[in-house]
């Protein structure tokens, strides 16, 4: 049913529809509304779950690790510093092959402390073994949560899933969302039935010490599984489309790329702005397009290569920066494409700096002018040392 | 005995790689055997985890999970929440356990959260008074004047300058139903307290004093003797709190001088010829005796 909802409400509703048995989270802006709504669902008797109000994000992730290990579907969400505090557990959850689902309300990292949006938090944990998907809008986020559990819990996968939603822009934005019914979600998402769990009838030891004789195989197994996810995820996407009629669940989305001379590559809500700019520039006769990365881990290298094969100029929009190198997505797009392609990297929108249509237009034109690996966009020169000014 | 038969008798079995005379391994078995098969154990990183679960082997006959160093209590909270959701908490006990570092230092926040939220979990701290797994570094539970690799004796140092963190009081201050200390030197007392704790619903805490021959510089054969002397001198009082109140202590009608305890351990050998420092350690014991009323008649 179509409803006009705040993002966080919609995400909480989506999580509720997946029937998690244990929810644990710690308050951090801009994630808070999601857990508040879930707590209210439980308080109203609309959701049969244990909500554990922990004393830190480290413990939030640890609680859902413990509950998921008992075979109970679990949910958590966080942002920014919270994700950083969780980082140790985030890696641990993937290594223990626990398909927990987390929503990351993307927010900048301190210092300076900043509660506004960029994607530095989740991008910094790209190596952790979690499947990472980035939502362009609230409908997509809802769909990725529901499909995320299904993908992660497949016995062939058993990996955790992070659904990344831009803080404030999506979490606090009001949009029309087509909410599936409980019946539909129950038909799509079977109850969690893991191949291994903590069970007194069949005692197992989980989380053993893995020395040099076993450790690297555990990493290899996750790497191979990630490769499989590149096939499994679109299959679930097809199932999802059949059931719900939407194409949200996919590796990439190509927008007016067919004949594009210049294409931007981006993740998350900025893709909406880019699509608007593309429509306007196309009306003026400019051949521009967008490659949206929905699934960032596993990285869909072959799909990216194919999608950009005929595009001579590419600009990569990064809402993160690997300081001392370039934006994270830029390096991966560059590695996925042929050497003769002109690929530029643009770092923008950090700490909530608005990405306007003008910024996007300028990035399109810069991508065609000169190749630069790491151009910061829309800097305020008056805040910079003279020698740093652009 | 067959492997299966072995597990039928105990929930924590031999074949692990603990050092000879390891007090922690003895205490862990006492706890596991009292708890029995219908128990799920969460374990902090540390000696116990390392020596009992080197892949692909395990010494545990109950479901057991290790995640990280500081989160055993939080993982246990999740296990308990899952058991409530599954409607199984009536028949399954949850035990969370770690060493002194994993409990009193890096894991204290998660432990406090677990106690405050009232989870039905027994937390067991195996206190061997230093970070033994990483090579005998000082922890918040290292006793006064003990030599460790990060509180070494030297011309300007007589070992650890601080006293043990009052861990059982910190736990008891959460007004939980049960918080106690025990010593591997008194196995029956350990098992009585574990049984008592497991019969209570809600959060419980037991700190078990477990000598570490490697870290303490003692003979493996002396582990039980040393544990008994820690209690007999007043340096490790055995106490029981219920809902924040001190209700019972193991009395010491005639406490032994601390020297008898110290002289068996390399970590204290620098004190034996230092009357002034020896006196300070005796004062620590005396303070304990007075604070807990260990020698009172009542």
């Amino acid at each position: 049913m179509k409803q006009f909802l705040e993002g966080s409400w919609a995400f909480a509703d989506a999580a509720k529809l997946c029937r998690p048995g244990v929810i644990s989270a710690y308050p951090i802006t801009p994630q808070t509304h999601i857990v508040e709504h879930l707590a209210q669902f439980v308080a109203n008797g609309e959701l049969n779950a244990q909500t554990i109000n922990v004393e830190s994000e480290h413990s939030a992730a640890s609680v859902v690790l413990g509950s998921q290990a008992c075979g109970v579907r679990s949910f958590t969400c966080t942002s920014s510093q919270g994700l950083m505090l969780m980082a140790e557990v985030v890696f641990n959850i993937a290594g223990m092959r626990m398909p927990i689902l987390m929503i990351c309300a993307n927010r900048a990292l301190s210092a300076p402390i900043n509660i506004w949006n960029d994607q530095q938090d989740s991008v910094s944990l790209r190596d952790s073994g979690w499947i990472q998907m980035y939502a362009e809008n609230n409908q997509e986020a809802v769909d990725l949560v529901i499909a995320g559990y299904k993908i992660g819990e497949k016995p062939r996968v058993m990996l955790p899933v992070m659904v990344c939603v831009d803080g404030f822009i999506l979490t606090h934005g009001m949009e029309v969302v087509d909410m599936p019914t409980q019946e539909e979600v129950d038909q799509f998402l079977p109850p969690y039935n893991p191949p291994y769990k903590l069970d007194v009838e069949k005692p197992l030891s989980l989380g053993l010490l893995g020395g040099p004789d076993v450790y690297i195989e555990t990493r290899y197994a996750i790497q191979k599984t990630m490769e499989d996810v590149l096939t499994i995820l679109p299959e679930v996407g097809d199932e999802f489309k059949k059931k719900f009629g939407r194409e949200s669940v996919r590796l990439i989305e190509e927008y007016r790329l067919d004949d594009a001379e210049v294409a931007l590559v981006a993740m998350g809500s900025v893709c909406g702005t880019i699509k608007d700019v593309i429509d306007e520039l196309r009306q003026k006769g400019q051949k521009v397009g967008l490659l949206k990365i929905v699934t960032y881990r596993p990285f869909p290298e072959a799909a990216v290569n194919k999608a950009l094969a005929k595009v001579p100029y590419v600009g990569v929009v990064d809402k993160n920066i690997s300081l001392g190198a370039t934006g994270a997505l830029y390096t991966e797009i560059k590695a996925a494409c042929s050497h003769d392609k002109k690929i530029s990297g643009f770092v923008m929108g950090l700490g909530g700096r608005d990405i306007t249509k003008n910024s996007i237009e300028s990035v399109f034109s810069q991508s065609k002018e000169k190749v630069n690996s790491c151009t910061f966009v829309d800097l305020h020169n008056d805040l910079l040392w003279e020698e740093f000014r652009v | 005995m067959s492997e299966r038969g072995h597990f039928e008798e105990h929930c924590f079995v031999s074949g692990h790689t603990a050092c000879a005379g390891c007090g922690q391994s003895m205490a862990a078995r006492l706890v596991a055997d009292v708890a029995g098969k219908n128990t799920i154990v969460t374990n902090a990183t540390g000696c116990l985890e390392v020596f009992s679960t080197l892949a692909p082997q395990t010494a545990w006959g109950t479901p057991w999970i290790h995640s990280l160093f500081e989160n055993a209590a939080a993982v246990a909270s999740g296990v308990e929440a899952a058991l409530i959701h599954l409607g199984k908490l009536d028949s399954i006990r949850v035990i969370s356990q770690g060493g002194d570092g994993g409990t009193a230092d890096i894991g204290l926040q998660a432990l406090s959260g677990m106690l405050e939220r009232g989870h039905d979990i027994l937390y067991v701290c195996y206190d061997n008074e230093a970070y033994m797994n990483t090579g005998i570094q000082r922890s918040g539970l290292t006793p006064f004047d003990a030599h460790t690799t990060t509180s070494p004796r030297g011309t300007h140092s007589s070992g650890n300058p601080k006293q043990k963190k009052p861990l059982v009081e910190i736990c008891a201050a959460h007004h939980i139903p049960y918080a106690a200390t025990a010593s591997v030197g008194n196995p029956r007392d350990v098992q009585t307290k574990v049984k008592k704790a497991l019969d209570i619903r809600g959060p419980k805490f037991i700190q078990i004093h477990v000598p570490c021959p490697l870290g303490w510089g003692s003979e493996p054969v002396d582990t039980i003797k040393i544990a008994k002397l820690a209690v007999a001198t007043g340096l490790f009082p055995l106490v029981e709190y219920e809902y924040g109140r001190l209700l019972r202590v193991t009395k010491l009608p005639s406490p032994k001088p601390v020297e008898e305890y110290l002289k068996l351990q390399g970590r204290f050998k620098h004190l034996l010829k230092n009357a002034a420092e020896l006196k300070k350690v005796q004062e620590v014991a005396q303070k304990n005796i007075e604070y807990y009323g260990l020698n009172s008649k009542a």
Side-chain angles (χ1 to χ4, degrees), chain A residues 21 48 50 52-56 58-59 62-63 65-67 69-70 88 92 96 198-200 203-209, chain B residues 37 50 53-55 57-58 61-68 70-71 74-75 78-79 81-82 84-85 109-110 113 117:
Chain A
N48 173 25
Q50 298 293 310
I52 310 298
N53 293 320
V54 282
E55 77 296 334
S56 76
H58 196 284
S59 282
S62 302
V63 163
L65 168 61
S67 53
C70 292
E88 188 193 21
N92 193 252
M96 293 183 74
L198 295 170
D199 180 1
V200 293
L204 289 177
S205 295
L206 305 179
L208 274 61
L209 172 64
Chain B
K37 300 282 182 196
V50 169
T53 62
L54 177 57
Q57 298 182 319
T58 181
T62 57
W64 179 98
I65 183 170
H66 157 252
S67 167
L68 295 163
E70 68 275 54
N71 69 351
V75 173
V79 167
I84 293 173
H85 182 74
Q109 178 177 317
R117 291 189 299 270

Side-chain angles (χ1 to χ4, degrees), chain A residues 192 195 295 329:
Chain A
Y192 179 47
T295 305
L329 188 56

Side-chain angles (χ1 to χ4, degrees), chain A residues 281-297:
Chain A
L281 293 178
R282 285 262 175 189
Q283 280 188 346
K284 293 181 197 161
Q286 295 187 36
K287 289 181 175 172
V288 289
L290 166 70
L291 171 62
K292 179 171 89 177
I293 305 293
V294 179
T295 305
Y296 180 51
R297 283 294 178 275

Side-chain angles (χ1 to χ4, degrees), chain B residues 10-33 43 46-53 59-60 97-99 124-128 132 184-185 187 190-191 208-213 220 223-224:
Chain B
H10 295 290
C11 296
F12 176 74
V13 300
S14 59
H16 55 69
T17 58
C19 306
C22 170
Q24 187 179 27
S25 64
M26 299 179 213
R29 187 158 90 171
L30 293 171
V31 172
D33 281 351
N43 212 123
C47 281
L48 177 56
E49 166 260 326
V50 169
F51 71 64
S52 69
T53 62
W60 297 94
Q97 56 188 15
V124 180
C125 170
Y126 300 99
D127 178 10
N128 59 18
M132 300 314 185
V184 75
V190 170
Q191 293 205 308
I208 308 178
H209 198 230
V210 289
C212 167
T223 292
I224 297 297

Side-chain angles (χ1 to χ4, degrees), chain A residues 178-232:
Chain A
D178 190 355
M179 263 303 161
T181 64
Q182 186 67 63
E183 199 187 353
E184 287 170 327
V185 174
D186 287 346
Q187 285 162 0
F188 176 77
L189 179 66
Y192 179 47
N193 184 22
Y196 42 81
K197 62 181 175 182
L198 295 170
D199 180 1
V200 293
E201 301 299 326
K202 196 188 166 200
L204 289 177
S205 295
L206 305 179
L208 274 61
L209 172 64
D213 49 346
V214 305
Y215 181 86
I216 193 170
E217 284 75 15
T218 68
R219 300 283 110 182
Y220 179 72
I222 295 177
Q223 177 69 2
K224 292 307 280 182
T225 305
M226 281 285 190
E227 287 172 19
D228 287 348
V229 171
L230 291 172
T231 313
I232 294 167

Side-chain angles (χ1 to χ4, degrees), chain B residues 266-286:
Chain B
R267 63 176 176 160
F268 293 122
K269 72 176 178 196
H270 56 292
L271 304 180
L272 301 177
K273 288 176 189 162
N274 187 334
E277 289 302 315
L278 213 49
K279 193 172 160 231
K280 286 184 197 167
V281 178
Q282 189 61 59
E283 280 166 8
V284 172
Q286 192 53 40

Side-chain angles (χ1 to χ4, degrees), chain B residues 234-284:
Chain B
L235 285 173
F236 194 88
L238 300 186
V239 303
E240 288 178 284
Y241 285 88
E242 290 180 19
Y243 296 97
R245 291 189 179 187
L246 181 63
L247 286 193
R248 282 171 298 279
V249 300
T250 297
K251 297 284 185 185
L252 296 179
S254 45
K256 295 193 169 163
V258 295
E259 206 175 341
E260 283 190 38
Y261 173 66
L262 305 178
K263 71 184 182 190
L264 295 172
Q265 303 173 55
R267 63 176 176 160
F268 293 122
K269 72 176 178 196
H270 56 292
L271 304 180
L272 301 177
K273 288 176 189 162
N274 187 334
E277 289 302 315
L278 213 49
K279 193 172 160 231
K280 286 184 197 167
V281 178
Q282 189 61 59
E283 280 166 8
V284 172

